[in-house]
Amino acid sequence: MDHIVIRREEYVSGTRDRPEIGIFTQAHQTRHPVPWGQIVIGDTVWMKWSSGPIVAAATVQGFRQIETCSAVQLREMTVGSKLFDLSDYWASLPPNFSAVVIWLEEERWLDSPIFPSARSRGESWVPLKAPELREAWLTSQAVDQPKGDTRRGARTRTIGYALRFQVLRRDGFTCGYCGRKPPEVKLHIDHLQPWSCGGLNVLENLRTSCEACNLGKGATRL
Ligand SMILES: [Zn+2]
């Protein structure tokens, strides 16, 4: 079965040890975050940003669903502190909740994000049980494309969510100039060749930078 998961960008977290494996957790106090018995190893999971498009797909490699889970248990299941910078998330969890942890593999980022025509009605996990449901979620609506560029979005001012996360993950969520990480600093995405000088929004031209390093550098070429 296919599923849509709706994730906040800051909760997307691979592990530092095994970057090819993604880990996904959800916690809910009053119901199971994913209905019991509806997830199977080998299922496809489509990842949607909470306020944006579907940007990636992955395969379920394993999962655990636990009732009356605690933050400590959840951390242990997710290789704990080796996850990227989730302290705010751990701190936000209530004492007990229903939890699901899903280990993902074969994560692939879409060249073209999908803007679904369906809505989640407050769920953060949507099993695509019927073909109509699948179609509503996995059919892209028309999106304005920049003209004259070979790569989608290469000359639009904003950096898309998927690309932004690819840069952050490639750089280990660390400022490429001073080596600091959140929560000490807030991370930005910096253009090596400035956008104002024709620099493209492509992986090779982007680097993770903290706010101070990014502002200090401005439109100066290194
Ligand atoms: Zn820095």
Side-chain angles (χ1 to χ4, degrees):
M1 195 191 294
D2 284 17
H3 311 264
I4 302 289
V5 292
I6 293 151
R7 308 172 74 160
R8 285 173 56 184
E9 204 174 347
E10 63 268 35
Y11 292 173
V12 177
S13 42
T15 66
R16 291 189 197 284
D17 292 353
R18 301 190 60 194
E20 80 283 9
I21 304 275
I23 294 181
F24 171 56
T25 73
Q26 274 185 338
H28 205 284
Q29 264 183 295
T30 54
R31 57 178 168 83
H32 300 145
V34 179
W36 248 232
Q38 290 208 10
I39 181 169
V40 172
I41 291 172
D43 279 357
T44 300
V45 164
W46 300 84
M47 188 198 310
K48 180 187 179 307
W49 297 133
S50 61
S51 55
I54 294 168
V55 292
T59 306
V60 175
Q61 185 220 28
F63 64 93
R64 277 190 73 185
Q65 292 178 281
I66 296 193
E67 213 136 21
T68 60
C69 188
S70 70
V72 172
Q73 280 177 293
L74 191 59
R75 281 191 75 150
E76 281 166 3
M77 279 190 285
T78 56
V79 211
S81 57
K82 289 174 193 136
L83 282 180
F84 293 126
D85 307 313
L86 285 182
S87 22
D88 289 349
Y89 173 59
W90 302 125
S92 74
L93 293 169
N96 281 291
F97 46 84
S98 273
V100 62
V101 183
I102 295 159
W103 289 267
L104 300 170
E105 62 182 2
E106 298 166 11
E107 191 172 85
R108 51 209 180 273
W109 289 77
L110 310 180
D111 293 334
S112 312
I114 299 169
F115 292 82
S117 51
R119 286 176 168 268
S120 77
R121 297 188 307 274
E123 302 135 316
S124 51
W125 182 278
V126 184
L128 304 183
K129 282 182 273 193
E132 311 83 75
L133 204 51
R134 192 178 192 283
E135 190 162 331
W137 278 96
L138 300 179
T139 304
S140 196
Q141 290 173 335
V143 181
D144 288 332
Q145 287 307 307
K147 303 261 188 303
D149 286 309
T150 52
R151 279 184 274 192
R152 183 178 288 243
R155 273 305 282 167
T156 52
R157 180 90 215 199
T158 51
I159 301 167
Y161 290 106
L163 183 58
R164 190 182 133 77
F165 183 71
Q166 280 179 288
V167 174
L168 288 169
R169 185 150 79 168
R170 180 201 62 194
D171 296 342
F173 291 81
T174 304
C175 174
Y177 300 102
C178 69
R180 289 185 293 170
K181 303 169 198 274
E184 191 189 351
V185 292
K186 184 172 160 54
L187 293 178
H188 290 216
I189 303 297
D190 183 37
H191 291 83
L192 294 173
Q193 185 186 13
W195 190 86
S196 56
C197 303
L200 298 179
N201 279 340
V202 293
L203 206 52
E204 311 87 277
N205 191 45
L206 298 170
R207 177 186 275 193
T208 302
S209 166
C210 75
E211 199 159 41
C213 292
N214 188 41
L215 294 175
K217 179 175 167 283
T220 318
R221 259 189 229 206
L222 289 182

